[in-house]
Amino acid sequence: MPTLNKIGVLTGGGDAPGLNAVIRAVVKTAHNSGVEVLGLEDSFDGLIYPGKSRPLTPRDVTGILRLGGTILGTVNRGDPFAAPITTAQGTFDYADRVMEMFQKTGLDALVCIGGDGTLAIAYEFFKKGIPLVGVPKTIDNDIVGTTSCFGFDTAVSFATDAIDRLHTTAEAHRRIMVVEVMGRYAGWIALHAGVAGGADVILMPEIPYDLDKVAQCIRDRDAWGARFSIVVIAEGARPKGGHVSLVEEAHPGHAERLGGAAMACAKELERRTNKETRYVVLGHLQRGGAPTSFDRTLATRFGGKAVELLMNGQYGRMVANHPPDLVPVPLGDVVGKIKTVPLDSDLVKTARALGVSFGD
Ligand code: F6P
């Protein structure tokens, strides 16, 4: 068993409700085992720029369980290995700088909390010799190897509430309402919020949609007297033979930004059905606010388990939820992959049986 005296914790990528709950659990669990914790600010920047780290004690994390965001800050950049970095001390190779700072700060190991991008960076540093464990984070729920990530339940709850509110106004005006939710490559939020909110159409990245079929579904509903329809569309959904809606192309250091799927879909549905159509983009509201009790509990379990893995010397792993257990999975099995919605999943089948259209 390795002796741990001091560990670092960082949060990277887009934020998700529950990050603070993980940090709190890491700090408290480590402290109670006699291990010091250094909070690294703005992801790996905390191991690049002097002054971007601070000791975290139980006192520093009291009261953060219920807070969204992250007390450590985060960054959402592309591949940091791609270019050298410049600090007050000069220009350095990114990886060399992190390795050097890891030694200088007297750290024994790291807890890296993040999505696919951060976990991929963490894996590179693990291969270079930094003992670390990963904690999966994304509201999109698309990290492989774990059934769920904290933040997803909060996002789905928020989106479901939004759909509930849209139902009443859609019905009052006999309109089509198109709701855009997050989900770049996977439709987990669209599917779960769509089913929970009673959506009539769910459009996801996994199933390119045919607008004629969506329009027909809406006409069919009108025919039996429904008079309104709710369409939930993931930001990464695209029409058959078409493209995803982009706000900004990818450029060095930045992934492409998606957006506009609902607007494009609403415009076309209005034209095809002659029904008044409105759209709403839930956007970053889905990432904000307090985590649900489910996410607080999952995040707390993840944080506690991450420290346990470090103390057992089980490095290079990601904490994964395999109900009823949390298990370590090799980071190498996780990075560079995306967990999409299986089209034969129970929830997809149930939704279809209820008459929900996926536009296919
Ligand atoms: O966390 C993933 C995600 O929510 C995606 O669904 C979305 O495309 C992306 O983050 C947007 O992130 P940002 O605006 O922070 O770049």
Side-chain angles (χ1 to χ4, degrees):
M1 226 54 103
T3 308
L4 287 187
N5 294 312
K6 190 173 170 186
I7 62 173
V9 59
L10 62 84
T11 54
D15 68 331
L19 282 169
N20 283 325
V22 183
I23 296 168
R24 172 180 172 272
V26 166
V27 171
K28 290 197 168 198
T29 309
H31 177 85
N32 290 336
S33 301
V35 179
E36 280 177 54
V37 179
L38 189 68
L40 304 169
E41 296 168 8
D42 300 340
S43 191
F44 283 95
D45 282 8
L47 280 176
I48 289 175
Y49 302 99
K52 288 202 91 165
S53 59
R54 59 182 194 267
L56 292 178
T57 65
R59 177 116 186 74
D60 299 302
V61 296
T62 296
I64 68 168
L65 174 63
R66 64 183 182 280
L67 301 182
T70 161
I71 60 164
L72 291 175
T74 185
V75 291
N76 205 359
R77 292 194 205 109
D79 182 4
F81 291 96
I85 43 129
T86 302
T87 73
Q89 287 86 44
T91 299
F92 302 88
D93 173 81
Y94 174 83
D96 291 349
R97 174 72 175 176
V98 169
M99 297 302 291
E100 184 194 326
M101 289 286 282
F102 178 78
Q103 302 298 341
K104 274 193 183 159
T105 44
L107 290 170
D108 297 311
L110 293 182
V111 175
C112 302
I113 313 165
D116 49 344
T118 304
L119 295 177
I121 297 168
Y123 185 50
E124 290 305 311
F125 285 120
F126 168 67
K127 288 192 285 185
K128 283 181 176 294
I130 295 186
L132 55 82
V133 296
V135 173
K137 165 262 21 158
T138 167
I139 67 163
D140 292 351
N141 201 37
D142 58 1
I143 296 180
V144 301
T146 182
T147 57
S148 44
C149 294
F150 62 87
F152 173 64
D153 185 64
T154 307
V156 168
S157 301
F158 174 80
T160 303
D161 181 51
I163 297 167
D164 286 350
R165 288 163 187 263
L166 291 169
H167 258 105
T168 54
T169 175
E171 190 163 15
H173 286 268
R174 305 176 189 186
R175 284 172 172 160
I176 302 170
M177 281 285 180
V178 184
V179 193
E180 183 175 313
V181 297
M182 280 187 169
R184 294 173 73 84
Y185 311 113
W188 295 102
I189 297 178
L191 177 63
H192 282 253
V195 170
D200 309 298
V201 179
I202 298 174
L203 305 177
M204 320 191 296
E206 292 85 346
I207 309 176
Y209 59 85
D210 178 339
L211 275 163
D212 286 333
K213 297 219 168 118
V214 177
Q216 190 54 48
C217 162
I218 289 165
R219 279 188 220 102
D220 290 347
R221 283 177 49 76
D222 282 351
W224 63 255
R227 308 199 311 176
F228 74 96
S229 288
I230 304 283
V231 178
V232 175
I233 183 167
E235 62 183 346
R238 62 189 158 88
K240 265 184 194 157
H243 302 287
V244 291
S245 302
L246 279 188
V247 171
E248 199 181 328
E249 299 273 354
H251 56 279
H254 295 270
E256 62 188 13
R257 281 180 57 214
L258 302 185
M263 184 175 72
C265 178
K267 202 172 150 196
E268 270 307 303
L269 286 180
E270 187 164 74
R271 196 174 66 76
R272 287 167 202 236
T273 61
N274 279 324
K275 278 181 82 70
E276 262 197 327
T277 306
R278 299 287 186 267
Y279 70 90
V280 177
V281 180
L282 299 185
H284 293 77
L285 290 168
Q286 294 160 95
R287 293 212 317 227
T292 59
S293 56
F294 179 89
D295 280 339
R296 293 179 202 194
T297 307
L298 183 62
T300 299
R301 292 172 67 213
F302 276 178
K305 188 72 177 181
V307 174
E308 182 192 307
L309 294 187
L310 287 184
M311 297 192 66
N312 291 339
Q314 290 177 281
Y315 306 137
R317 317 290 165 89
M318 180 189 82
V319 180
N321 190 22
H322 281 206
D325 302 314
L326 294 187
V327 297
V329 297
L331 274 171
D333 291 353
V334 167
V335 299
K337 297 175 187 162
I338 290 170
K339 184 183 73 182
T340 53
V341 175
L343 299 186
D344 60 350
S345 69
D346 167 68
L347 196 52
V348 172
K349 284 191 198 157
T350 302
R352 285 194 194 278
L354 260 62
V356 173
S357 167
F358 287 87
D360 57 343

